[in-house]
């Protein structure tokens, strides 16, 4: 009963002045004294119903503001920006923007996409003097209609801000911004306006599931030639423009636990059987677009395995110089009214990088 009374007393106080804290107790001492006088009589609990108490104790409690609320009000009044200090100066004003995307895929042996999504983020490096305001637009379907064709490149000047896919707009499922972004501007015209922190920071994260340009296709062919033998053939096809080059390509082909020997033939790259991982690891340093490469393996098996082997999927890792979702930065502008440098004098670069997340093909 004691604990029930204490919980009820806390509930009554919270209904009058909010959070129970040292500062709130000091500010509402008289009110707390009145409340305790009503809900306790000679040490015995009496009426603790909030509705009834508020009919004859009509005094309003003093609510103290949290640090976040105080900071928010101060920023609104003074215009102070907590993530950037004043007086920053650089000889050369530069702005670097990296669009990093991670492609996740699960494909059937027949080439049917079972699930696919892209998790992307924009990382910026800001070396700008003063308190500049940056503004850039993206090719989101909500605000951008189809407009012509665009070309692709890995690293570009801000005068040619295009991505690695021919799509003119994409559908973004969800998006998350850094605190510096002015959300009201994004909601009204979908332009991303912000005063950037100095140095490197993550501006935004996003996720998309539609019309993904899958950089590679893995075609597996597994055949059991006898009780103690298995043949595996894997073809890797690149599905991007021939002018682009994929790098850091690695294909991991699982093998049965009772494997005792593997003979490998691959025209491009290097392949090695790793007994500790029960997998064949095939590495290709570079691969151009619209190309294909093949690996063949003969696997010898020991006959002491009783359980039937469930084949794990073939996994792949890579890096390509474009955004698989089709994400593009349409423009990137810098404004600094107090200092004398203009948008044209600012050096701006945009780079697109696509990497594998969990990229798997069942075999």
């Amino acid at each position: 009963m004691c604990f029930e009374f204490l919980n009820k007393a806390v509930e009554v106080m919270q209904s009058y002045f909010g959070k129970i804290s040292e500062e709130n107790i000091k500010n509402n001492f008289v009110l707390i004294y009145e409340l305790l006088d009503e809900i306790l009589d000679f040490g015995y609990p009496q009426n603790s119903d909030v509705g009834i108490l508020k009919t004859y104790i009509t005094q309003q409690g003093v609510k103290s503001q949290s640090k976040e609320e105080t900071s928010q009000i101060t920023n609104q009044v003074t215009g102070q920006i907590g993530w950037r200090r004043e007086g920053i100066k650089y000889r050369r004003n530069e702005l670097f923007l990296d669009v990093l995307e991670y492609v996740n895929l699960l494909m059937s042996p027949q080439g049917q996409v079972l699930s696919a999504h892209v998790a992307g983020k924009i990382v910026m490096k800001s070396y700008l003097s003063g308190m500049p305001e940056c503004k850039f637009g993206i090719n989101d379907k909500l605000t951008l209609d189809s407009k012509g064709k665009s070309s692709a490149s890995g690293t570009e000047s801000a005068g040619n801000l295009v991505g690695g896919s021919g799509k003119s707009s994409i559908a973004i499922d969800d998006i998350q911004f850094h605190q510096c972004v002015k959300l009201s501007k994004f909601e009204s015209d979908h332009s991303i306006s912000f005063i950037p922190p100095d140095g490197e920071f993550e501006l935004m994260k996003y996720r998309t599931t539609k019309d993904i340009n899958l950089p590679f296709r893995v075609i597996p062919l597994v055949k059991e030639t006898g009780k103690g033998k298995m043949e595996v053939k894997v073809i890797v096809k690149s599905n991007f423009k021939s002018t682009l080059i994929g790098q850091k390509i690695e294909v991991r082909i699982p093998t049965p636990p009772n494997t005792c020997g593997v003979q490998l033939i691959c025209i491009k790259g290097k392949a090695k059987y790793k007994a500790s991982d029960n997998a064949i690891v095939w590495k290709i340093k570079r691969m151009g677009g619209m190309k294909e490469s093949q690996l063949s393996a003969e696997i010898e098996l020991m006959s002491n395995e009783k359980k039937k082997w469930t084949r794990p999927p073939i996994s792949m890792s890579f890096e390509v110089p474009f955004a698989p979702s089709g994400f593009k930065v349409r423009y990137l502008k810098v404004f600094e009214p107090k200092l004398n440098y203009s948008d044209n004098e600012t050096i701006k670069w945009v780079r697109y990088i696509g990497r594998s997340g969990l990229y798997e093909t069942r075999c």
Side-chain angles (χ1 to χ4, degrees), residues 8 36 58 105 146 295 335:
K8 198 68 180 175
L36 289 174
T58 56
L105 169 74
S146 296
L295 176 140
F335 306 94

Side-chain angles (χ1 to χ4, degrees), residues 231-356:
E231 286 183 0
V232 176
K233 184 188 286 185
V234 175
I235 300 170
V236 174
K237 288 185 176 182
S238 55
N239 297 325
F240 46 88
K241 292 181 179 180
S242 57
T243 53
L244 303 177
I245 294 174
Q247 299 182 74
K248 301 175 184 177
I249 300 161
E250 182 178 298
V251 183
R252 296 182 73 90
I253 305 153
T255 58
N258 60 330
T259 299
C260 62
V262 177
Q263 290 182 348
L264 297 167
I265 301 170
C266 65
I267 300 168
K268 190 167 186 177
K270 293 181 180 179
K272 187 180 180 181
Y273 169 62
K274 287 192 175 181
S276 57
D277 298 340
N278 288 324
I280 298 166
V281 180
W282 180 20
K283 293 183 179 181
I284 304 172
K285 285 185 179 180
R286 294 160 65 90
M287 187 173 181
M290 308 308 292
K291 302 284 185 183
E292 70 174 59
S293 194
Q294 181 177 306
L295 176 140
S296 300
E298 287 187 5
I299 301 171
E300 292 183 18
L301 307 172
M302 292 185 290
S303 58
N304 59 351
E305 188 70 22
K306 294 180 181 179
K307 292 183 181 178
K308 189 178 179 181
W309 181 53
T310 305
R311 297 174 189 165
I314 295 171
S315 61
M316 187 176 185
S317 61
F318 55 82
E319 186 175 295
V320 290
F322 65 90
S325 71
F327 186 102
K328 288 195 292 288
V329 178
R330 294 189 290 129
Y331 60 85
L332 176 59
K333 297 178 181 179
V334 179
F335 306 94
E336 178 31 282
K338 292 183 180 178
L339 300 179
N340 292 326
Y341 71 90
S342 65
D343 177 63
N344 295 330
E345 294 171 345
T346 305
I347 300 168
K348 295 169 285 185
W349 292 91
V350 174
R351 179 173 61 170
Y352 299 88
I353 301 174
R355 290 175 180 155
S356 56

